[in-house]
């Protein structure tokens, strides 16, 4: 609102806003930067955790070609059945039309994207405390108990199921199996749109097919997930079929609302948040001088905007104080400027 209506809004506060994560935008991060950050955070407690995921996914892809192999994956990953969601034109990042392992990979990618954003220091909306970090802890413990050095591929797939439980089990009680067709809707955003056939999922899919186009992908080298290269042509084809001729316009929002056009904006990002890599950083070129850019340690997606908790990290508490003081200063300055203009008139 500060950018759109600078005469009406004296200051603004943008938390976890990935305004640089647009295809073709100057200063944009690499396409897989979201999952690079997610992988780095996942490895904080145990550096082996990303390799557990890589090993599990290699096993899944290797076994997916045969009925017996898929049955083994279903059993070890605790899936209810072999059914996978259907997507117009197949998975955006690769694989044949609705390729089984590629769809399963999207479900796994969505889980880690969700855990990256929901990685709060307390239980929240069904998610456990520090869910991304705790998923690694539990995977590491399971592999250590059941797989020795982690080279038993079936053990790694069973360990991956533990991580999936953090993302898809909101009950805090054991569930018998994962029903992928209910839990996940493949869409235009590799980080996920939400549960299948919900208004939230459909609205975010439409937004990702029109003006909020983030070119997220994975490469399995600097991130832990199977290669899924970004394909804009495939995105356009999907969006046209799914949303009655919709055309993705990746630079439209940045042209209408250029982030650098106004000062007196707080840009905050948590360094546990995958989206932080697409946000304004302390040394981002073009940042107006009268701007507060703050990186918050141990903070996931807009943790600083959430209500206070006794479990908040000290860095988040300090950041809130600093942000409040800065916003009050800007409002006082803007008020004084208006009064001065009125006296001159």
């Amino acid at each position: 609102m500060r950018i759109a209506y600078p005469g009406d809004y004296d200051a603004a506060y943008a938390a976890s806003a990935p305004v640089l994560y647009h295809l073709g935008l100057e200063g944009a991060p690499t396409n897989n930067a979201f999952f690079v950050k997610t992988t780095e955070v996942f490895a904080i407690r145990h550096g082996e955790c990303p390799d557990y995921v890589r090993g599990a996914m290699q096993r899944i892809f290797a076994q997916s070609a045969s009925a017996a192999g898929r049955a083994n994956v279903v059993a070890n990953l605790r899936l209810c059945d072999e059914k996978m969601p259907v997507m117009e034109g197949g998975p955006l990042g690769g694989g044949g039309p609705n390729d089984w392992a590629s769809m399963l990979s999207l479900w796994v990618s969505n889980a880690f994207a969700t855990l990256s954003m929901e990685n709060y220091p307390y239980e929240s909306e069904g998610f456990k405390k520090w869910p991304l970090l705790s998923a690694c802890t539990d995977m590491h413990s399971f592999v250590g108990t059941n797989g020795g050095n982690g080279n038993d591929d079936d053990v790694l797939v069973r360990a991956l199921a533990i991580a999936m439980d953090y993302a898809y089990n909101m009950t805090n009680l054991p569930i018998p199996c994962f029903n992928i067709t209910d839990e996940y809707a493949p869409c235009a955003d590799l980080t996920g749109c939400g549960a299948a056939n919900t208004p939230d999922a459909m609205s975010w899919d439409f937004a990702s097919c029109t003006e909020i186009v983030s070119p997220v992908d994975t490469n399995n080298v600097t991130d832990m997930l199977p290669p899924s290269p970004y394909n804009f042509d495939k995105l356009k084809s999907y969006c046209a079929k799914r949303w009655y001729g919709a055309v993705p316009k990746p630079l439209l929002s940045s042209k209408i609302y250029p982030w650098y056009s106004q000062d007196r904006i707080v840009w905050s990002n948590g360094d546990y948040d995958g989206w932080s890599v697409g946000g304004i950083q302390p040394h981002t070129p073009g940042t107006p001088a009268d701007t507060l850019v703050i990186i918050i340690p141990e903070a996931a997606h807009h943790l600083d905007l959430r209500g206070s908790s006794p479990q908040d990290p000290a860095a988040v508490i300090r950041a809130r104080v600093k942000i409040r003081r800065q916003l009050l200063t800007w409002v006082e300055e803007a008020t004084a400027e208006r009064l001065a203009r009125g006296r001159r008139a």
Side-chain angles (χ1 to χ4, degrees), residues 128-316:
K128 298 178 179 66
K129 178 179 179 179
W130 295 122
L132 184 61
L133 302 179
S134 298
C136 170
T137 296
D138 286 356
M139 285 186 74
H140 184 74
S141 177
F142 182 86
V143 172
T145 301
N146 297 278
N149 59 9
N151 290 327
D152 185 325
D153 293 327
D154 283 344
V155 167
L156 296 183
V157 177
R158 294 201 297 273
L160 182 61
I162 294 173
M164 297 301 96
D165 199 70
Y166 274 90
Y168 294 116
N169 179 6
M170 300 289 101
T171 68
N172 281 326
L173 297 171
I175 58 174
C177 59
F178 299 112
N179 190 332
I180 294 181
T181 55
D182 287 343
E183 296 162 347
Y184 172 65
C187 68
D189 183 353
L190 187 63
T191 67
C193 293
N197 301 317
T198 63
D200 284 350
M202 290 187 287
S203 61
W204 188 255
D205 190 29
F206 178 76
S208 299
C209 272
T210 49
E211 298 180 13
I212 305 177
V213 183
S214 299
V216 179
D217 67 12
T218 54
N219 63 19
N220 201 232
V221 178
T222 53
D223 61 70
M224 62 186 171
L225 294 159
S228 185
Y230 187 75
N231 187 321
F232 187 60
D233 289 335
K234 209 166 186 178
L235 175 69
K236 289 191 294 184
S237 176
Y238 164 78
C239 293
K241 293 176 181 177
R242 178 69 179 87
W243 295 109
Y244 311 100
V247 178
K249 299 176 181 178
L251 295 179
L252 181 61
S253 61
S254 60
K255 289 180 179 178
I256 297 175
Y257 309 112
W259 66 268
Y260 50 82
S261 64
Q262 295 298 327
D263 58 6
R264 291 176 174 166
I265 298 177
V266 174
W267 300 98
S268 69
N269 283 286
D271 72 353
Y272 277 8
D273 181 15
W275 288 117
S276 64
V277 295
I280 304 304
Q281 305 296 315
H283 303 294
T284 298
T287 305
D290 198 8
T291 298
L292 175 61
V293 178
I294 184 166
I295 306 300
I296 309 173
E298 299 183 8
H301 201 56
H302 52 59
L303 174 59
D304 45 316
L305 278 183
R306 297 175 68 89
S308 298
S309 166
Q311 299 177 76
D312 282 330
V316 176

Side-chain angles (χ1 to χ4, degrees), residues 35 104-114 168 190-191 218 225-226:
F35 282 109
L104 185 54
S105 178
L106 290 177
W107 176 71
V108 171
S109 298
N110 176 75
F112 282 110
T114 300
Y168 294 116
L190 187 63
T191 67
T218 54
L225 294 159

Side-chain angles (χ1 to χ4, degrees), residues 5-24:
Y5 306 104
D8 298 320
Y9 292 86
D10 297 329
Y13 174 14
S16 301
V19 294
L20 299 179
Y21 220 133
H22 293 284
L23 183 67

